[in-house]
Amino acid sequence: VPTKQGLRVPIELSLAVHSDAGFHKDGRSIFGSLAVCTTSFNDGRLSSGISRMTSKSFADLLLTGVNRDLSSTYGAWSRRDLYDRNYSETRLPEVPSAILETLSHQSFPDMKLALDPNFRFTMARSIYKTIVRYVADMHGKACVISPLTPNNFSAEITDKNKVTLRWQPVTDKLEPTAIPTSYNIYTATGTGGFDNGVNVKSC
């Protein structure tokens, strides 16, 4: 039974994304990722009445996803601890919550990767995928991850009133559900805004 009525705003979860401090003495090893949750507060219940253990499940999924995706792409990525501790970011929200310490800003091997835009994208997409899967599972829904952005896009003017657009789909080797089935093309003319788009099946 819910202990607070709240404002009836459907907030699914709370996530704090941090970087951590620490390094290995050898100066070469990845320090890696850590997650935090809080289960021993308010008799182990959120205000909705559900168990705070769901926060621990969410934190574990975040670590598992980051470790899987980064290790597959960049080599072995260190999975550190999952702390169940009294932190304000995970104690105060009345929804499932976690802290993800993505990597160490004090570790040179970690920061070499952290400054790579491709690494940042891979980590951010991993976090996004975990959130989508977690929320879908909480509601008993099927989960489909958004496909990657197409590449090799080109626009060729073939006559005064026609432009031929071409692009190539991008396969996400880390996510089998991220397969594009169609594309939306939005058009703007002159100084006007974009229209509502046209759905096309081919590229």
Side-chain angles (χ1 to χ4, degrees):
V1 178
T3 58
K4 294 181 182 178
Q5 290 301 317
L7 299 177
R8 300 184 183 278
V9 177
I11 298 173
E12 299 283 0
L13 55 84
S14 172
L15 173 61
V17 181
H18 296 180
S19 63
D20 202 6
F23 58 91
H24 291 293
K25 292 182 179 180
D26 62 18
R28 298 184 300 273
S29 300
I30 294 291
F31 201 62
S33 301
L34 172 147
V36 182
C37 66
T38 303
T39 63
S40 57
F41 182 71
N42 193 33
D43 294 326
R45 296 282 172 181
L46 297 168
S47 288
S48 63
I50 65 174
S51 171
R52 282 183 168 267
M53 290 301 294
T54 190
S55 295
K56 191 168 188 177
S57 297
F58 178 46
D60 182 62
L61 288 171
L62 286 165
L63 275 183
T64 299
V66 165
N67 181 262
R68 178 188 61 244
D69 290 352
L70 295 182
S71 295
S72 297
T73 308
Y74 298 95
W77 183 259
S78 297
R79 173 180 171 138
R80 295 161 59 205
D81 298 313
L82 171 53
Y83 289 154
D84 188 345
R85 295 183 177 176
N86 191 357
Y87 283 64
S88 62
E89 295 99 318
T90 52
R91 181 187 75 250
L92 297 180
E94 299 291 355
V95 292
S97 54
I99 299 171
L100 178 64
E101 299 286 358
T102 54
L103 47 76
S104 172
H105 51 248
Q106 196 178 6
S107 167
F108 185 66
D110 288 40
M111 288 307 299
K112 283 197 299 182
L113 289 170
L115 295 175
D116 180 349
N118 293 314
F119 176 88
R120 294 182 188 184
F121 177 82
T122 303
M123 175 170 276
R125 184 165 169 82
S126 177
I127 295 169
Y128 150 74
K129 290 190 297 184
T130 294
I131 291 173
V132 171
R133 291 191 183 103
Y134 178 80
V135 172
D137 184 65
M138 287 288 285
H139 293 280
K141 303 291 186 180
C143 172
V144 177
I145 301 299
S146 176
L148 293 170
T149 303
N151 64 8
N152 295 328
F153 180 84
S154 67
E156 180 184 1
I157 301 176
T158 52
D159 60 42
K160 290 183 179 180
N161 299 311
K162 185 176 181 180
V163 176
T164 300
L165 306 179
R166 294 185 177 87
W167 61 87
Q168 292 181 339
V170 176
T171 301
D172 187 349
K173 65 179 182 179
L174 299 176
E175 179 51 51
T177 70
I179 301 173
T181 57
S182 64
Y183 300 86
N184 293 327
I185 298 176
Y186 300 91
T187 305
T189 304
T191 59
F194 282 90
D195 60 18
N196 291 326
V198 175
N199 186 261
V200 298
K201 298 295 183 181
S202 62
C203 51

